[in-house]
Amino acid sequence: MAARRTPSPGVDNDPAAQSKSERTRARILDAAAEVLSTKGYAGTRLTDVARVAELQAPAIYYYFDSRESLIEEVMWAGTADMLNHVTTILDELPEETDSLERIMVAVESHLRHELEISAYTTASIRNAGQIPDHIRKRQVAEERKYGRVWRDLIHRAHEDGLLRHDLDLYVAQMLILGSLNWTAEWWNPRKTGLDKVVRQAQSFVHGALTSD
């Protein structure tokens, strides 16, 4: 299965504009994202990455000085990609879109990016609890930025009087993100279509935020 991928922030993803070295590096990262998302941190071997990238394993060291540096890049890119994807979609919404609807759009954008668009994001979500802290530093910084996006969405809806008055806004934010991220662990496209998952997730989140 080919790795899903969205453009990583700050990278020219037009193959025609890339050098051979840049294209090879991108192939290695794509392959690492695929292996990491399916086999996990402990099970990811450079030999597997090389096989998926159709390279000899020693060639990886020309681009990354260690297995850890390669995994660090994938983990960072997955979270940075999610942040870029969701914020871009939110920024493109009409100004009159109400704050609760913006949360529903964010739910859909998050799920589609996590499950359908980016193997990088799938890898970063599924392995966040397995990666040593020194490898996660860059990813954690992106996670905090992404958390602020959700905090702002929920606080705006609260200020607009659209949410339950008894909500702890921080707890609500963490429960929403936790449930969305956990979808990567159980979702099977052969059993349930992604559109159905999105609709039910939006229904759950809407009900939790607004029903007394």
Side-chain angles (χ1 to χ4, degrees):
M1 179 181 67
R4 298 163 284 126
R5 185 165 191 223
T6 53
S8 295
V11 175
D12 190 338
N13 287 271
D14 180 3
Q18 293 176 336
S19 67
K20 181 179 178 181
S21 177
E22 289 170 331
R23 290 194 298 271
T24 302
R25 187 177 188 276
R27 278 169 55 199
I28 293 169
L29 283 167
D30 287 351
E34 179 179 340
V35 174
L36 189 62
S37 67
T38 56
K39 295 195 172 184
Y41 174 70
T44 295
R45 301 285 182 266
L46 290 184
T47 51
D48 294 326
V49 174
R51 176 181 52 78
V52 174
E54 299 180 344
L55 296 168
Q56 295 297 315
I60 294 175
Y61 289 103
Y62 179 81
Y63 301 91
F64 300 93
D65 58 15
S66 67
R67 170 180 176 270
E68 285 70 25
S69 65
L70 173 58
I71 290 174
E72 178 190 25
E73 185 74 12
V74 171
M75 295 292 288
W76 169 81
T79 306
D81 280 352
M82 175 72 90
L83 172 63
N84 182 64
H85 177 76
V86 173
T87 55
T88 296
I89 288 177
L90 290 172
D91 288 345
E92 291 174 349
L93 290 175
E95 289 186 10
E96 64 270 18
T97 305
D98 74 47
S99 50
L100 189 57
E101 178 59 25
R102 291 176 67 84
I103 293 175
M104 297 303 105
V105 170
V107 168
E108 177 172 7
S109 302
H110 182 110
L111 284 172
R112 292 194 182 280
H113 196 271
E114 170 189 356
L115 301 175
E116 184 177 53
I117 297 174
S118 177
Y120 287 68
T121 297
T122 307
S124 67
I125 288 173
R126 298 191 72 183
N127 290 278
Q130 304 176 32
I131 303 295
D133 289 344
H134 70 280
I135 300 178
R136 284 238 309 139
K137 286 182 180 179
R138 291 173 68 208
Q139 183 197 13
V140 168
E142 295 301 313
E143 285 179 347
R144 288 172 179 159
K145 294 177 188 177
Y146 188 53
R148 287 195 289 271
V149 171
W150 279 89
R151 181 196 64 193
D152 292 346
L153 287 170
I154 291 171
H155 278 255
R156 177 61 64 85
H158 175 72
E159 291 167 2
D160 290 345
L162 300 178
L163 304 188
R164 291 168 45 177
H165 298 297
D166 62 336
L167 281 179
D168 181 305
L169 301 186
Y170 174 74
V171 172
Q173 173 187 330
M174 299 308 291
L175 286 172
I176 291 170
L177 286 175
S179 62
L180 295 180
N181 287 342
W182 186 250
T183 309
E185 299 293 338
W186 60 260
W187 180 62
N188 184 337
R190 293 185 295 274
K191 293 183 177 180
T192 309
L194 182 54
D195 288 346
K196 180 180 288 187
V197 173
V198 168
R199 289 195 302 270
Q200 291 199 10
Q202 290 174 321
S203 177
F204 274 113
V205 171
H206 191 285
L209 292 177
T210 62
S211 300
D212 292 329

